[in-house]
Amino acid sequence: MSRLPNLKSIQAFEAVARHLSFKHAADELCVTPTAVSHQVKSLETHLGLQLLNRSNRFVSLTPDGVIYAQHISKAFEHLTAGTDALAKDEISGDLTITTTSSFASNWLSPRLAQFAELYPNLSVRILGCDGVTDFKSEPIDIAIRYGYGDYPEMHCAWVLDDYVAPVCNPALAKDLQTAEDLSTARLIQYEWSGFSDTDPSWHTWLDQNGAKTESFRPFVTYSEEHMCLLTASDGHGVSLVSLIAAERYVRDGRLVVPYNYIIKNKSYYLVCPHSIAQKSKIKAFQDWLLDQADLFRDSDFGKEFF
């Protein structure tokens, strides 16, 4: 035999050999069953051997077909492994991510060491910013945005829903039974850049819990969520914050959630241009991030609040 058979005919035979069906092979290859049949027939002619037994209802491999299918299957496995190896080689260089300062410091950064272990050749750069960054004007690969998922003409993947609730030092929580008990507590407010009346606030939470809001005023308002968390964990008051941000503090026992009532807030989404969504490093980070989000929801803390 002077040359290898046509690669399309080999691919068609490999698919038929796996499925034992012209129709299923055709669906996989996005061609017609007739086209697959012609390709396999061309391969048999080239080899001078019958590879398939055909009937109106069934397809089976001949003894020669079994032998050839084993070799072809191994060849395709090597091709797949080679392609995967190249993809892994591409997961290197720099990956620039922008997200809110709170999400970056309280949830993402503590988990990044795991990502670095998986992809040691990829250097991650995190930009903490509460505003929306323009991909066209900034050298950014991925944005983890806090919103409602309305990002037209962008690749978008839901990551986590967010909820807010009061949190405080465990010692302070002993005196909190009802919402009215907060009348004597020091309330800590979080108002980030772009905060509006539609965002959860102490007024919203207290009003929805039947407390008279006229007498309640925050004793301090911070623009950074980690300031709220630290002030509350030090025992200086009760903060209304994101439970995503508070998770580490609650898990470590530095903070508790004294009330069962929580408020649904916005959600986090991974966003990037469609033009780079299929790049290996983008897909690697997205897969890892979504896995981390699943683990978070499946944790004891996640099951209780999310």
Side-chain angles (χ1 to χ4, degrees), residues 44-174:
E44 290 176 319
T45 300
H46 181 92
L47 297 174
L49 297 169
Q50 183 179 346
L51 302 175
L52 298 176
N53 294 312
R54 300 165 175 83
S55 70
N56 291 333
R57 297 180 59 191
F58 301 106
V59 176
S60 63
L61 295 170
T62 65
D64 287 330
V66 171
I67 294 171
Y68 199 62
Q70 290 173 345
H71 288 283
I72 294 302
S73 177
K74 290 179 181 178
F76 273 86
E77 288 176 4
H78 285 300
L79 285 171
T80 301
T83 303
D84 289 344
L86 288 176
K88 289 179 181 177
D89 288 342
E90 292 175 4
I91 304 177
S92 61
D94 298 323
L95 181 68
T96 302
I97 301 164
T98 179
T99 188
T100 66
S101 299
S102 177
F103 189 78
S105 59
N106 293 305
W107 195 90
L108 180 61
S109 294
R111 292 168 166 81
L112 272 178
Q114 300 174 33
F115 184 73
E117 290 178 2
L118 291 172
Y119 304 102
N121 297 322
L122 189 61
S123 178
V124 179
R125 182 172 179 240
I126 304 293
L127 304 178
C129 178
D130 290 339
V132 176
T133 308
D134 186 2
F135 287 98
K136 294 180 180 178
S137 60
E138 298 289 340
I140 292 168
D141 298 303
I142 291 171
I144 303 173
R145 291 183 175 166
Y146 192 56
Y148 300 105
D150 48 344
Y151 306 108
E153 300 181 3
M154 286 284 182
H155 169 78
C156 179
W158 170 71
V159 181
L160 283 170
D161 291 332
D162 191 25
Y163 299 86
V164 298
V167 297
C168 64
N169 182 285
L172 187 58
K174 296 176 182 177

